[in-house]
Amino acid sequence: MQDGVVLTTLDDFLNWGRKNSLWPMTFGLACCAIEMMATGAAKYDLERFGCGAFMATPRRADLMIVAGTVTLKMATRVKTLFEQMAEPKYVISMGSCANKGGPYWQHGYHVLKGVDEVVPVDVYVPGCPPRPEALIEGVMTLQKKIANERLLRNKWVKHA
Amino acid sequence: MLNVDLNKLAELLNNQISGANATVHFPEDLKKCDPSLTVEASKIFQVAQFLKSHPETPFNSLHVISGVDYVDWMEVAYVLTHYSLENPRQMILKVKLTDRVNPVLDSIVKVYAAANFQEREVFDMFGIRFNNHPDLRRILCPDDWKGWPLRKDYVAQKDYNGMAVYPDGKMNFEDREFIIRQDMIKKAQEAKAH
Amino acid sequence: MQTRWDIGEPERPTINEETEQLKSDLLTLNMGPQHPATHGVLRIEIWTDSEIVAHAIPHLGYLHRCMEKHAENLDFRGVIPFVDRLDYLASMNMEWTYVAAIEKMLGTEVPRRGELLRIMTAELQRIGSHLMAFGTYALDLGAFTPFLYAFEEREKILRLFEEVSGARLLYNYIWIGGVWNDWTDEQLERVSQFCDTMEIEAKKYHELVSMNKIFVQRTANVGVFSLDDCFNYGASGPVLRGSGLKWDLRKVAPYSLYPEFDFDVPVGEGEVGVVGDCWNRYYVRMKEVIESIKIIRQVLNKLEAGPVMGKVPKVIKLPKGEVYLRHECPRGELAFHLVSEGDAKKPYRLKVKSPCFTHISMLPHVAPGQMIADFVATVGSIDIVLGEVDR
């Protein structure tokens, strides 16, 4: 099949559906979890982006917001939970502890220096803790990334 | 400390329990630092029992057990309190351990139930084993962690279960030497010289 | 199988005779480390016999961030942001305790305005922390509305703190010698307005949640901690006060300028349920919010113009010795055991006595015989923050 109008529109339609209903998994580990809860509360509403239903189980979620420090003891569980999520799945690394180890990078013998050692990350949100507006910007960046995906085109279009 | 006459307590302990060797350490300035009572390590269980149920100066609760690693010896400090609205009390009880390779102490879980988790933490961080503890295993670090983290000669293991503890690409130990700052200082000095 | 539908004598359902005859195994459930009750990464291994808990074994360490090791390698001022992140819902109280320990050893004097501002921020932070405890406890039990109400009020406190210190959650505001930024008159006016609205809101929460029939049935007579248990395990704070003892460090061993203030110490009295159960611990927290509002109003009356930061040497060196300093924090008594080795610029050893650590050790004692839903209510009533437990 050719890379034409039909496939592009279908792709846009699927991407639109997926990016506007990202269901996050509650994965609050430390202080960033409080800011994530504040983002989900009434003042900075995350529900208007479609992320209203915070699923506790990974089987029904498509977004994992890793909020907080990941320790070595917890890292194997993060990986297990990520593998239990169904495709297509995305990861936002929230806060500087999840990005690169945070303030505990120098002498933290038990701190994993960034969650991208165990799990592939799509968007990094810096801050300690990031403001709710920063997390919302992270979610919007992820939405822009999803809008550029080529789900059907990658499957059906053969490039020369 | 709060409302406790440590000298009198040391005398009582020395009379009641043979071999306790209770000594009091007063710092130079009592307003700035706290005094403490040191006893013999092998008698800690009897001392704790005595202090919990003594009619004149009981201490009905244990707050925390904290270990300190002085390089030649190790010290374990027990902070005991008494919950009473008329006569609240608090004291620091210390014990010295000279064996660094295999330090051993008696557990006081049967006297104060709060000691359960606290002793597990001291074991986890310093390697001090407690006799007669119902469940002595690591509490904060994972069960298969090697080494005693809060000792002064601790070097962290290089990797744990396939994950690097200090991955090469992410540690900027060189930048911490303030190389950039020294360059700026040099530049400012040269500019001043001209 | 007996159930408790009316509020009467507390009873502990024992393991069924039928199960004894069947000789069935106990089922092992894992509560956590990732679970919807927002306490953080706590893992409790529950061994159950149908719906009743036989053993509960807490496993900690999933958030062990090596704070005590960091404290040994940074100088005294540099440790303050790490102390913030211990109990991230009550940062001001954590900072104040640590800074007070250093100031005791150093002998610095804090100016009066600085001390009063510290008291005001600590009490505002206490209100914020109790609001959060209220919201998440109701969320644990299945109610979503109190969570939104609590967060709305908390946003007002966070806005005030953000204007003064620059951050919403982890402030780094209380420094050695005082506080680093002063409050303007306009901000103090808003604090007074917040106190007025908070009193009205507290009455609303009382009608909505505290006297709600479902909430009462879920929390009254559940998870009873007797006073002897509390002493044996070293409990403090609302857990101890909910069991009947009027122990508040601000009255028993007062520190800073607290002797000048006039406030009450709320205690679990058993208006609903039994003294020492989950409802009484929760109600002690709600009454403490009112007491904190009283203290804040008195502070606003006493404030006068003046400096907020005392004289502190540029390089801080403490004398040789140790200090054990306790303060009354929203979750219990927080204490720092600070050991310094002569003229060093860094602490030699900083040990944190965390109240939630001692409270978690009470769970295996009180769990056997409860149903799983009751166990969730008990865990929530202790108000755990894992940052403090695991350090």
Side-chain angles (χ1 to χ4, degrees), chain C residues 50-279:
Chain C
S50 62
E51 188 75 15
I52 304 175
V53 175
H55 307 295
I57 307 169
H59 294 266
L60 310 172
Y62 288 90
L63 199 63
H64 178 51
R65 296 187 277 197
C66 333
M67 179 252 173
E68 295 177 352
K69 191 85 183 171
H70 279 272
E72 292 178 10
N73 290 310
L74 296 166
D75 61 78
F76 293 104
R77 287 190 183 96
V79 178
I80 297 181
F82 286 85
V83 166
D84 261 345
R85 285 151 174 81
L86 274 182
D87 175 359
Y88 33 85
L89 295 173
S91 301
M92 294 287 192
N93 293 296
M94 307 280 121
E95 287 172 25
W96 192 12
T97 317
Y98 172 70
V99 164
I102 294 195
E103 283 170 359
K104 180 172 175 187
M105 281 185 101
L106 208 53
T108 30
E109 247 198 63
V110 180
R112 189 177 161 83
R113 188 176 164 98
E115 198 70 56
L116 285 172
L117 282 178
R118 278 181 180 182
I119 294 182
M120 186 177 81
T121 45
E123 295 303 321
L124 270 177
Q125 183 71 60
R126 194 184 304 265
I127 298 178
S129 170
H130 284 323
L131 276 174
M132 179 79 181
F134 158 74
T136 50
Y137 191 39
L139 191 63
D140 277 354
L141 300 177
F144 194 64
T145 318
F147 172 76
L148 294 173
Y149 283 175
F151 263 78
E152 182 57 43
E153 293 305 310
R154 224 178 98 88
E155 289 289 333
K156 295 187 187 143
I157 300 180
L158 259 51
R159 174 89 193 176
L160 281 166
F161 281 165
E162 189 190 356
E163 289 183 15
V164 151
S165 75
R168 273 170 53 103
L169 200 67
L170 303 162
Y171 315 106
N172 195 2
Y173 176 64
I174 298 186
W175 284 6
I176 301 175
V179 294
W180 69 268
N181 198 7
D182 203 352
W183 291 59
T184 62
D185 286 329
E186 194 261 327
Q187 286 162 347
L188 294 171
E189 178 59 39
R190 273 193 280 153
V191 171
S192 161
Q193 282 168 4
F194 169 75
C195 287
D196 295 331
T197 44
M198 191 64 220
E199 264 186 327
I200 304 173
E201 292 287 318
K203 285 205 190 74
K204 200 160 84 174
Y205 301 160
H206 181 75
E207 284 162 13
L208 179 68
V209 179
S210 313
M211 291 298 164
N212 188 332
K213 189 168 178 187
I214 303 178
F215 186 80
V216 162
Q217 281 179 356
R218 284 244 12 213
T219 51
N221 296 326
V222 163
V224 181
F225 291 167
S226 69
L227 211 51
D228 269 332
D229 279 343
C230 286
F231 293 158
N232 212 4
Y233 283 91
S236 52
V239 173
L240 182 62
R241 289 198 279 279
S243 294
L245 185 67
K246 252 195 184 183
W247 179 271
D248 187 334
L249 266 190
R250 297 172 291 174
K251 288 274 188 191
V252 169
Y255 48 91
S256 161
L257 297 174
Y258 274 112
E260 293 178 15
F261 292 97
D262 171 38
F263 61 99
D264 249 332
V265 174
V267 132
E269 274 153 21
E271 286 139 5
V272 175
V274 143
V275 169
D277 65 1
C278 295
W279 193 88

Side-chain angles (χ1 to χ4, degrees), chain B residues 33 68 70, chain C residues 76 105 317-323 337-344 346-350:
Chain B
C33 303
V68 189
Y70 299 99
Chain C
F76 293 104
M105 281 185 101
K317 291 192 176 166
L318 298 185
K320 183 171 161 75
E322 64 181 348
V323 92
H337 182 222
L338 174 65
V339 176
S340 100
E341 200 33 28
D343 274 331
K346 311 179 187 179
Y348 192 73
R349 169 84 166 107
L350 182 72

